[in-house]
């Protein structure tokens, strides 16, 4: 069992190691693997419109996501989210739960659609999960991701309309 | 005849009115039509890696473009550019010239590809021009642009590989 709630400042010492170890592998997110704690705090906490965490029954943090407008002004009705789940909590449906939560949150914040700009094509588990949750592959970017093990691989643009 | 050179701070009083009037129409760029001069200075001059201007023989500014990485870290080998031409200089090949200049500049800066994230589908002249200059439509975003006259219209993701 887990619950999803708004991120609070005292969560950072638990959230940062999850983000740090995820980005360090350089196979799913474009953040520089050498990003500093301050860089990532800015990107995950300060710049987004909101950040959430998934917590286990004992309060430990299992995952996190942010939500923000994907573009300024006339593109700001489309949101963008990023999700990370701890390695220990993989396979328990946390990513799915975070994404569903973010979609409801997006609608309540007034967003009409959700867009992922750079889904790494070799991250097949993520691609399948987003498709299962209603996202379509609407674009393919040749060699747009510099995978730390595989070199340049394609990235996908995925999109879901949340309101008619 | 025109030349293209690096933007310099004294150009701003000429560049800002061009950007301002373009964004005010709300039919080509996602910048909020109500954006302040400081907002646009940040977006067009401060945040990009470089900004250029096209000048006529008498030194007046005919257009401008910026170039920047489209994503951080592992996506930073793909660049993004934005181009604006004064209404008076439309149809003289300035946009085409700026785009060709930006592609050469991108290669010399080490970028491998160029991506436009939000080409407004109803801006048919721009779509045709980018296609003529070697860009492909690699994605379609349903209703992703809130056009000031037409309401929600589709936006296109366009992409060109600059190096093999």
């Amino acid at each position: 069992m887990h619950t999803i709630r708004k991120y609070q400042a005292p969560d950072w010492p638990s959230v940062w190691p999850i983000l740090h170890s995820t980005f360090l592998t350089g196979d799913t997110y474009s953040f520089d693997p050498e990003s500093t704690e301050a860089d990532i705090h800015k990107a995950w906490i300060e710049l987004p419109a909101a950040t959430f965490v998934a917590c286990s029954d004992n309060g430990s943090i299992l995952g996190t996501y942010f939500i923000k407008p994907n573009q300024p002004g006339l593109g700001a009705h489309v949101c963008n989210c990023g999700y990370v789940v701890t390695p220990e909590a993989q396979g328990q449906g946390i990513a799915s739960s975070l994404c569903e939560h973010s979609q409801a949150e997006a609608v309540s914040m007034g967003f009409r659609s959700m867009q992922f700009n750079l889904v790494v094509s070799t991250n097949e588990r993520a691609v399948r999960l987003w498709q299962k949750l209603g996202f379509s592959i609407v674009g393919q970017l040749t060699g747009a991701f510099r995978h730390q093990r595989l070199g340049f691989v394609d990235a996908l643009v995925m999109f879901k309309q949340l309101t008619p």
Side-chain angles (χ1 to χ4, degrees), chain A residues 20-148:
Chain A
H20 186 226
S21 63
T22 301
F23 303 153
L24 204 57
T25 61
D27 55 1
T28 53
Y29 275 88
S30 61
F31 296 113
D32 191 323
E34 306 297 317
S35 296
T36 65
E37 185 170 348
D39 290 337
I40 298 300
H41 189 271
K42 188 168 187 182
W44 206 267
I45 309 295
E46 295 166 52
L47 292 179
T51 305
F52 288 81
V53 291
C55 300
S56 69
D57 286 346
N58 69 13
S60 68
I61 289 177
L62 306 173
T64 174
Y65 79 87
F66 71 77
I67 181 166
K68 64 179 173 63
N70 195 46
Q71 297 284 348
L74 305 180
H77 56 288
V78 179
C79 68
N80 171 248
C81 293
Y83 313 85
V84 165
V85 174
T86 63
E88 298 72 27
Q90 304 277 343
Q92 299 174 27
I94 310 292
S96 178
S97 175
L98 287 171
C99 184
E100 287 175 334
H101 188 277
S102 71
Q103 291 182 43
E105 199 61 34
V107 171
S108 78
M109 292 170 80
F111 291 111
R112 298 169 57 93
S113 305
M114 188 178 290
Q115 180 175 337
F116 304 148
N117 300 303
L118 201 79
V119 181
V120 180
S121 60
T122 52
N123 188 3
E124 292 171 16
R125 192 164 68 169
V127 176
R128 275 199 305 273
L129 179 59
W130 306 147
Q131 286 178 313
K132 188 176 153 197
L133 295 172
F135 289 79
S136 301
I137 297 171
V138 298
Q140 178 136 358
L141 310 169
T142 304
F145 186 77
R146 185 161 56 84
H147 193 292
Q148 292 299 80

